[in-house]
Amino acid sequence: MSDSSSNVASRLYALAVARDTANLVDLDASLALARASVRTLMALSPQAAMLMRSFAQEEIDRLHMECTEESQGSIAIIRDTLNMA
């Protein structure tokens, strides 16, 4: 492999790592805001908490039907968020 090809491959790899890092930061921020939103909604009233749990259960049921590892991870995150509220 020539130096030019190696340099391009190295730059593309660095770009991919940077993009993955940015996506992880976006996901972490989104999860933090979602958790804060859930806690806020559930603190408004017992009715709001019950409605939030109902909607979350609908999402859990939908994700469960997908039968993927990703959906199982999402279900765990939803349940964890509801338990901390």
Side-chain angles (χ1 to χ4, degrees):
M1 186 185 300
S2 70
D3 284 341
S4 176
S5 295
S6 177
N7 190 28
V8 168
S10 177
R11 288 175 53 201
L12 288 174
Y13 178 77
L15 181 60
V17 169
R19 186 172 182 170
D20 282 349
T21 301
N23 286 338
L24 288 174
V25 168
D26 287 347
L27 288 172
D28 283 345
S30 295
L31 283 171
L33 289 172
R35 285 184 181 111
S37 297
V38 167
R39 285 195 310 268
T40 301
L41 283 171
M42 292 183 74
L44 288 175
S45 70
Q47 294 84 5
M50 188 170 59
L51 190 59
M52 179 65 213
R53 288 187 189 282
S54 174
F55 287 149
Q57 186 60 52
E58 287 178 13
E59 291 302 316
I60 288 171
D61 294 343
R62 182 187 62 77
L63 288 164
H64 185 68
M65 290 174 54
E66 291 180 12
C67 297
T68 64
E69 290 182 22
E70 293 83 1
S71 65
Q72 293 304 310
S74 296
I75 289 169
I77 290 170
I78 293 168
R79 286 185 175 148
D80 182 57
T81 300
L82 290 174
N83 288 333
M84 69 185 263

